[in-house]
Amino acid sequence: MKKFMLFALFALLAFACGGGSGSSFNAEKSAYGDPTVTSVAAINIGMLTNEKKLHVLERSGTAEFSGRVFDVIDVKINDSSEAEMLFSPFPVTKETKKIFFGGYTSKSGEGIKPKEAIEVDLPKLGETTEGSGEFTVKLPGMPVEVDVPLDWTLKLEEEDVSINTPSGSYSGVRHYTGSGNISEGTLGDFLGNTEFTGEVYFSPTLGIPVKYKLNGVNFEGDLESVWDYGDPDETGYRVMKKSGIVNSENPSFQLSTYELKGNFDADPNQHAKMLLEIRYLDENAAKNDPQPEINVEFGTVMGYFPSQLVESPVSIFFPEENEGFRYFIAYVSQAAKGHNGPISYRISVTGGESVKPLRVTARIYYNKVE
């Protein structure tokens, strides 16, 4: 039961902020950029006594509920759609004052659905907002749906803070705390403790929660990777980008224009501008360790372009980080002129078993012709 009730509540907190600067784009020097409706997140989520599983959240369309049009967020496990969530607006910008929740439902029919669209007022720094709603809940092992009233509070505790996660440290983060109370009713005995507290650390840069926890019930999660390939039907000059981890469990990282639609659709006669940035996950290593011994390649399917990692005291993708870290950056502007027909461009990183865990971020700016 709690798995769905609490997932729904924290889904609201998780998307409770976003946006970024409106500065002009420069393929070599621009930051990671604002989150968009094509942003995708892979989050390690643990529920109750279950081990953490990787959940991929991706917008798949829109749906109407309670007189409002919602974005539909598809939730996948092992590449299979397991649930969907109605949430809007997506993404949420810094100017957004309210967010709306329309339900979370698994493919087996279990989940939590509000009787009417839920509005959540986003608090300013140091302020607290309150809300309540009526939900219909269907849980594993329950033969019928039941009605559950829920009251909550939400507070923005801090802005522009740093936080350590299993995927490394993040800066420029917003720290929210929340509390909830499920009023006495049909599920009182089933739920046990119906009062809970929790917190969310949200990155406006990525538009994704990087860490969250619901106290007392082992409901927690942390960001593993995020990517934004853009509109697959868009042609012309465009950006695709990705940030993830290279470690013993994930020894390689790749960003390829082929991944957008499984097609060779990049212009071979126009330069692709490709940027790669690497940083150790561990803060001490990020400040003191030398360049990691890894294999880096920029190229196409049939070949590669020369490149070299250069150390930098600042991050290009995440300028909000100002912790004294060492970054290793490579930039390539190349084309495959003379190639017959469209191609794909790629950036790949491979680390050995002895390499400490790395955060790898990449971007490709290219001309899509199909």
Side-chain angles (χ1 to χ4, degrees):
M1 163 63 187
K2 289 179 179 176
K3 144 173 152 175
F4 293 102
M5 287 293 294
L6 306 182
F7 184 93
L9 176 63
F10 270 67
L12 301 181
L13 301 181
F15 291 99
C17 175
S21 85
S23 59
S24 60
F25 176 75
N26 180 298
E28 183 178 5
K29 298 181 180 179
S30 286
Y32 189 82
D34 297 346
T36 75
V37 295
T38 57
S39 294
V40 182
I43 301 177
N44 290 301
I45 297 177
M47 298 180 180
L48 301 178
T49 59
N50 297 326
E51 294 184 358
K52 285 185 177 180
K53 290 184 178 181
L54 193 65
H55 291 60
V56 176
L57 280 64
E58 179 178 12
R59 182 184 181 276
S60 60
T62 61
E64 186 174 349
F65 169 71
S66 187
R68 179 174 295 277
V69 176
F70 284 88
D71 291 297
V72 178
I73 310 301
D74 189 22
V75 182
K76 296 181 180 179
I77 302 176
N78 296 326
D79 295 324
S80 176
S81 294
E82 297 293 335
E84 69 176 27
M85 177 171 58
L86 300 184
F87 179 91
S88 68
F90 180 85
V92 178
T93 69
K94 289 182 178 180
E95 290 71 34
T96 301
K97 305 300 182 184
K98 292 178 181 287
I99 56 176
F100 300 86
F101 177 68
Y104 177 85
T105 307
S106 72
K107 296 301 181 182
S108 59
E110 300 159 346
I112 171 172
K113 294 176 287 187
K115 297 294 183 68
E116 297 181 352
I118 297 297
E119 297 185 15
V120 177
D121 294 310
L122 300 183
K124 297 179 180 179
L125 181 62
E127 296 184 354
T128 300
T129 60
E130 300 178 350
S132 63
E134 296 283 337
F135 299 84
T136 299
V137 179
K138 175 71 166 59
L139 308 172
M142 291 180 56
V144 296
E145 296 180 335
V146 295
D147 294 335
V148 177
L150 176 67
D151 304 313
W152 66 82
T153 65
L154 178 64
K155 182 178 181 180
L156 178 57
E157 298 279 358
E158 302 172 279
E159 284 190 308
D160 196 25
V161 298
S162 297
I163 177 68
N164 289 319
T165 80
S167 299
S169 61
Y170 293 89
S171 300
V173 172
R174 290 183 174 183
H175 179 203
Y176 290 89
T177 59
S179 63
N181 179 69
I182 299 175
S183 305
E184 294 296 328
T186 307
L187 290 183
D189 294 337
F190 186 83
L191 289 173
N193 179 19
T194 58
E195 295 184 358
F196 50 88
T197 61
E199 59 185 346
V200 172
Y201 291 90
F202 188 93
S203 168
T205 300
L206 300 177
I208 297 295
V210 297
K211 187 176 181 180
Y212 61 87
K213 182 178 182 180
L214 192 64
N215 298 316
V217 293
N218 192 34
F219 181 76
E220 58 184 342
D222 53 84
L223 180 66
E224 178 171 291
S225 60
V226 60
W227 60 95
D228 191 340
Y229 293 164
D231 183 350
D233 297 322
E234 178 186 40
T235 58
Y237 282 93
R238 62 193 312 281
V239 168
M240 64 187 318
K241 56 191 178 182
K242 182 178 183 180
S243 186
I245 300 172
V246 169
N247 56 19
S248 58
E249 290 79 26
N250 303 288
S252 63
F253 169 99
Q254 178 169 281
L255 177 64
S256 169
T257 60
Y258 185 84
E259 298 173 31
L260 178 65
K261 293 185 70 174
N263 189 25
F264 299 103
D265 53 18
D267 187 347
N269 296 310
Q270 299 295 328
H271 279 219
K273 301 179 186 297
M274 297 176 277
L275 179 65
L276 172 69
E277 180 179 285
I278 297 170
R279 199 208 82 185
Y280 288 101
L281 289 187
D282 178 77
E283 286 197 357
N284 184 63
K287 292 179 179 179
N288 300 299
D289 282 19
Q291 179 176 313
E293 295 183 0
I294 54 177
N295 182 53
V296 173
E297 281 193 3
F298 291 75
T300 65
V301 175
M302 301 301 295
Y304 66 93
F305 304 120
S307 65
Q308 182 177 0
L309 288 172
V310 177
E311 184 177 331
S312 171
V314 295
S315 170
I316 293 177
F317 283 119
F318 307 107
E320 67 274 11
E321 294 184 355
N322 186 22
E323 309 292 339
F325 299 142
R326 304 169 73 179
Y327 302 88
F328 304 96
I329 297 170
Y331 176 74
V332 168
S333 177
Q334 290 282 1
K337 294 182 179 180
H339 181 84
N340 184 23
I343 59 171
S344 66
Y345 292 101
R346 63 179 173 85
I347 305 172
S348 63
V349 176
T350 304
E353 293 184 359
S354 61
V355 176
K356 294 180 180 179
L358 304 169
R359 184 187 73 189
V360 181
T361 308
R363 176 171 63 214
I364 302 177
Y365 179 67
Y366 69 106
N367 184 30
K368 183 173 179 291
V369 294
E370 293 185 359

PDB file of all heavy atoms in Angstrom, residues 128-147:
ATOM      1  N   THR A 128       6.328  27.154   4.116  1.00  0.00           N
ATOM      2  CA  THR A 128       5.658  25.853   4.100  1.00  0.00           C
ATOM      3  C   THR A 128       4.288  25.993   3.466  1.00  0.00           C
ATOM      4  O   THR A 128       3.565  26.959   3.748  1.00  0.00           O
ATOM      5  CB  THR A 128       5.500  25.293   5.524  1.00  0.00           C
ATOM      6  OG1 THR A 128       6.790  25.128   6.120  1.00  0.00           O
ATOM      7  CG2 THR A 128       4.792  23.947   5.506  1.00  0.00           C
ATOM      8  N   THR A 129       3.932  25.059   2.613  1.00  0.00           N
ATOM      9  CA  THR A 129       2.584  25.009   2.054  1.00  0.00           C
ATOM     10  C   THR A 129       1.903  23.731   2.515  1.00  0.00           C
ATOM     11  O   THR A 129       2.561  22.757   2.893  1.00  0.00           O
ATOM     12  CB  THR A 129       2.609  25.058   0.518  1.00  0.00           C
ATOM     13  OG1 THR A 129       3.358  23.939   0.016  1.00  0.00           O
ATOM     14  CG2 THR A 129       3.255  26.346   0.028  1.00  0.00           C
ATOM     15  N   GLU A 130       0.577  23.748   2.466  1.00  0.00           N
ATOM     16  CA  GLU A 130      -0.211  22.610   2.920  1.00  0.00           C
ATOM     17  C   GLU A 130      -1.219  22.212   1.844  1.00  0.00           C
ATOM     18  O   GLU A 130      -1.563  23.014   0.972  1.00  0.00           O
ATOM     19  CB  GLU A 130      -0.958  22.954   4.220  1.00  0.00           C
ATOM     20  CG  GLU A 130      -0.053  23.331   5.370  1.00  0.00           C
ATOM     21  CD  GLU A 130      -0.839  23.709   6.611  1.00  0.00           C
ATOM     22  OE1 GLU A 130      -2.092  23.860   6.506  1.00  0.00           O
ATOM     23  OE2 GLU A 130      -0.221  23.851   7.679  1.00  0.00           O
ATOM     24  N   GLY A 131      -1.683  20.973   1.922  1.00  0.00           N
ATOM     25  CA  GLY A 131      -2.685  20.502   0.976  1.00  0.00           C
ATOM     26  C   GLY A 131      -3.339  19.230   1.466  1.00  0.00           C
ATOM     27  O   GLY A 131      -2.894  18.607   2.433  1.00  0.00           O
ATOM     28  N   SER A 132      -4.409  18.845   0.792  1.00  0.00           N
ATOM     29  CA  SER A 132      -5.112  17.614   1.130  1.00  0.00           C
ATOM     30  C   SER A 132      -5.837  17.109  -0.105  1.00  0.00           C
ATOM     31  O   SER A 132      -6.066  17.859  -1.062  1.00  0.00           O
ATOM     32  CB  SER A 132      -6.108  17.858   2.277  1.00  0.00           C
ATOM     33  OG  SER A 132      -7.110  18.787   1.875  1.00  0.00           O
ATOM     34  N   GLY A 133      -6.192  15.833  -0.082  1.00  0.00           N
ATOM     35  CA  GLY A 133      -6.894  15.254  -1.206  1.00  0.00           C
ATOM     36  C   GLY A 133      -7.503  13.915  -0.859  1.00  0.00           C
ATOM     37  O   GLY A 133      -7.136  13.282   0.144  1.00  0.00           O
ATOM     38  N   GLU A 134      -8.441  13.485  -1.690  1.00  0.00           N
ATOM     39  CA  GLU A 134      -9.089  12.186  -1.552  1.00  0.00           C
ATOM     40  C   GLU A 134      -8.593  11.279  -2.674  1.00  0.00           C
ATOM     41  O   GLU A 134      -8.608  11.661  -3.852  1.00  0.00           O
ATOM     42  CB  GLU A 134     -10.605  12.341  -1.630  1.00  0.00           C
ATOM     43  CG  GLU A 134     -11.223  13.162  -0.495  1.00  0.00           C
ATOM     44  CD  GLU A 134     -11.326  12.348   0.788  1.00  0.00           C
ATOM     45  OE1 GLU A 134     -11.338  11.101   0.684  1.00  0.00           O
ATOM     46  OE2 GLU A 134     -11.396  12.958   1.866  1.00  0.00           O
ATOM     47  N   PHE A 135      -8.153  10.074  -2.312  1.00  0.00           N
ATOM     48  CA  PHE A 135      -7.572   9.149  -3.269  1.00  0.00           C
ATOM     49  C   PHE A 135      -8.304   7.812  -3.242  1.00  0.00           C
ATOM     50  O   PHE A 135      -8.810   7.378  -2.203  1.00  0.00           O
ATOM     51  CB  PHE A 135      -6.095   8.904  -2.957  1.00  0.00           C
ATOM     52  CG  PHE A 135      -5.251  10.144  -3.029  1.00  0.00           C
ATOM     53  CD1 PHE A 135      -5.160  11.007  -1.950  1.00  0.00           C
ATOM     54  CD2 PHE A 135      -4.540  10.449  -4.176  1.00  0.00           C
ATOM     55  CE1 PHE A 135      -4.377  12.156  -2.010  1.00  0.00           C
ATOM     56  CE2 PHE A 135      -3.760  11.590  -4.256  1.00  0.00           C
ATOM     57  CZ  PHE A 135      -3.682  12.448  -3.165  1.00  0.00           C
ATOM     58  N   THR A 136      -8.322   7.162  -4.402  1.00  0.00           N
ATOM     59  CA  THR A 136      -8.780   5.780  -4.510  1.00  0.00           C
ATOM     60  C   THR A 136      -7.555   4.900  -4.670  1.00  0.00           C
ATOM     61  O   THR A 136      -6.729   5.137  -5.566  1.00  0.00           O
ATOM     62  CB  THR A 136      -9.717   5.585  -5.709  1.00  0.00           C
ATOM     63  OG1 THR A 136     -10.869   6.413  -5.539  1.00  0.00           O
ATOM     64  CG2 THR A 136     -10.152   4.129  -5.823  1.00  0.00           C
ATOM     65  N   VAL A 137      -7.420   3.900  -3.803  1.00  0.00           N
ATOM     66  CA  VAL A 137      -6.199   3.111  -3.731  1.00  0.00           C
ATOM     67  C   VAL A 137      -6.500   1.634  -3.936  1.00  0.00           C
ATOM     68  O   VAL A 137      -7.457   1.095  -3.367  1.00  0.00           O
ATOM     69  CB  VAL A 137      -5.517   3.306  -2.362  1.00  0.00           C
ATOM     70  CG1 VAL A 137      -4.248   2.471  -2.262  1.00  0.00           C
ATOM     71  CG2 VAL A 137      -5.196   4.782  -2.142  1.00  0.00           C
ATOM     72  N   LYS A 138      -5.680   0.993  -4.774  1.00  0.00           N
ATOM     73  CA  LYS A 138      -5.741  -0.468  -4.973  1.00  0.00           C
ATOM     74  C   LYS A 138      -4.329  -0.996  -4.806  1.00  0.00           C
ATOM     75  O   LYS A 138      -3.419  -0.611  -5.537  1.00  0.00           O
ATOM     76  CB  LYS A 138      -6.265  -0.784  -6.376  1.00  0.00           C
ATOM     77  CG  LYS A 138      -6.249  -2.282  -6.729  1.00  0.00           C
ATOM     78  CD  LYS A 138      -7.300  -3.029  -5.952  1.00  0.00           C
ATOM     79  CE  LYS A 138      -7.530  -4.432  -6.521  1.00  0.00           C
ATOM     80  NZ  LYS A 138      -6.342  -5.280  -6.544  1.00  0.00           N
ATOM     81  N   LEU A 139      -4.147  -1.904  -3.819  1.00  0.00           N
ATOM     82  CA  LEU A 139      -2.826  -2.366  -3.456  1.00  0.00           C
ATOM     83  C   LEU A 139      -2.663  -3.852  -3.730  1.00  0.00           C
ATOM     84  O   LEU A 139      -3.651  -4.579  -3.857  1.00  0.00           O
ATOM     85  CB  LEU A 139      -2.592  -2.110  -1.969  1.00  0.00           C
ATOM     86  CG  LEU A 139      -2.878  -0.683  -1.542  1.00  0.00           C
ATOM     87  CD1 LEU A 139      -2.825  -0.555  -0.046  1.00  0.00           C
ATOM     88  CD2 LEU A 139      -1.844   0.234  -2.168  1.00  0.00           C
ATOM     89  N   PRO A 140      -1.399  -4.323  -3.803  1.00  0.00           N
ATOM     90  CA  PRO A 140      -1.177  -5.764  -3.948  1.00  0.00           C
ATOM     91  C   PRO A 140      -1.837  -6.531  -2.805  1.00  0.00           C
ATOM     92  O   PRO A 140      -1.696  -6.186  -1.636  1.00  0.00           O
ATOM     93  CB  PRO A 140       0.346  -5.889  -3.891  1.00  0.00           C
ATOM     94  CG  PRO A 140       0.857  -4.559  -4.331  1.00  0.00           C
ATOM     95  CD  PRO A 140      -0.125  -3.557  -3.838  1.00  0.00           C
ATOM     96  N   GLY A 141      -2.597  -7.556  -3.146  1.00  0.00           N
ATOM     97  CA  GLY A 141      -3.268  -8.365  -2.140  1.00  0.00           C
ATOM     98  C   GLY A 141      -4.627  -7.857  -1.722  1.00  0.00           C
ATOM     99  O   GLY A 141      -5.335  -8.530  -0.960  1.00  0.00           O
ATOM    100  N   MET A 142      -5.028  -6.685  -2.204  1.00  0.00           N
ATOM    101  CA  MET A 142      -6.327  -6.131  -1.845  1.00  0.00           C
ATOM    102  C   MET A 142      -7.345  -6.468  -2.933  1.00  0.00           C
ATOM    103  O   MET A 142      -7.100  -6.210  -4.111  1.00  0.00           O
ATOM    104  CB  MET A 142      -6.243  -4.608  -1.677  1.00  0.00           C
ATOM    105  CG  MET A 142      -5.443  -4.177  -0.474  1.00  0.00           C
ATOM    106  SD  MET A 142      -5.366  -2.373  -0.328  1.00  0.00           S
ATOM    107  CE  MET A 142      -7.104  -1.955  -0.294  1.00  0.00           C
ATOM    108  N   PRO A 143      -8.486  -7.032  -2.571  1.00  0.00           N
ATOM    109  CA  PRO A 143      -9.470  -7.433  -3.578  1.00  0.00           C
ATOM    110  C   PRO A 143     -10.230  -6.268  -4.204  1.00  0.00           C
ATOM    111  O   PRO A 143     -10.718  -6.381  -5.325  1.00  0.00           O
ATOM    112  CB  PRO A 143     -10.424  -8.343  -2.791  1.00  0.00           C
ATOM    113  CG  PRO A 143     -10.306  -7.866  -1.371  1.00  0.00           C
ATOM    114  CD  PRO A 143      -8.895  -7.410  -1.204  1.00  0.00           C
ATOM    115  N   VAL A 144     -10.335  -5.142  -3.492  1.00  0.00           N
ATOM    116  CA  VAL A 144     -11.123  -4.017  -3.998  1.00  0.00           C
ATOM    117  C   VAL A 144     -10.384  -2.712  -3.750  1.00  0.00           C
ATOM    118  O   VAL A 144      -9.452  -2.637  -2.944  1.00  0.00           O
ATOM    119  CB  VAL A 144     -12.513  -3.953  -3.316  1.00  0.00           C
ATOM    120  CG1 VAL A 144     -13.339  -5.182  -3.664  1.00  0.00           C
ATOM    121  CG2 VAL A 144     -12.361  -3.805  -1.805  1.00  0.00           C
ATOM    122  N   GLU A 145     -10.820  -1.668  -4.442  1.00  0.00           N
ATOM    123  CA  GLU A 145     -10.296  -0.333  -4.201  1.00  0.00           C
ATOM    124  C   GLU A 145     -10.899   0.243  -2.923  1.00  0.00           C
ATOM    125  O   GLU A 145     -12.039  -0.084  -2.558  1.00  0.00           O
ATOM    126  CB  GLU A 145     -10.613   0.597  -5.370  1.00  0.00           C
ATOM    127  CG  GLU A 145      -9.956   0.219  -6.680  1.00  0.00           C
ATOM    128  CD  GLU A 145     -10.305   1.189  -7.783  1.00  0.00           C
ATOM    129  OE1 GLU A 145     -11.373   1.843  -7.690  1.00  0.00           O
ATOM    130  OE2 GLU A 145      -9.512   1.301  -8.733  1.00  0.00           O
ATOM    131  N   VAL A 146     -10.149   1.111  -2.260  1.00  0.00           N
ATOM    132  CA  VAL A 146     -10.663   1.794  -1.074  1.00  0.00           C
ATOM    133  C   VAL A 146     -10.342   3.277  -1.182  1.00  0.00           C
ATOM    134  O   VAL A 146      -9.425   3.686  -1.899  1.00  0.00           O
ATOM    135  CB  VAL A 146     -10.067   1.213   0.223  1.00  0.00           C
ATOM    136  CG1 VAL A 146     -10.496  -0.227   0.415  1.00  0.00           C
ATOM    137  CG2 VAL A 146      -8.554   1.328   0.213  1.00  0.00           C
ATOM    138  N   ASP A 147     -11.084   4.091  -0.469  1.00  0.00           N
ATOM    139  CA  ASP A 147     -10.875   5.529  -0.446  1.00  0.00           C
ATOM    140  C   ASP A 147      -9.968   5.909   0.715  1.00  0.00           C
ATOM    141  O   ASP A 147     -10.141   5.421   1.844  1.00  0.00           O
ATOM    142  CB  ASP A 147     -12.205   6.269  -0.314  1.00  0.00           C
ATOM    143  CG  ASP A 147     -13.084   6.078  -1.534  1.00  0.00           C
ATOM    144  OD1 ASP A 147     -12.534   5.808  -2.612  1.00  0.00           O
ATOM    145  OD2 ASP A 147     -14.324   6.188  -1.404  1.00  0.00           O
TER     146      ASP A 147
END
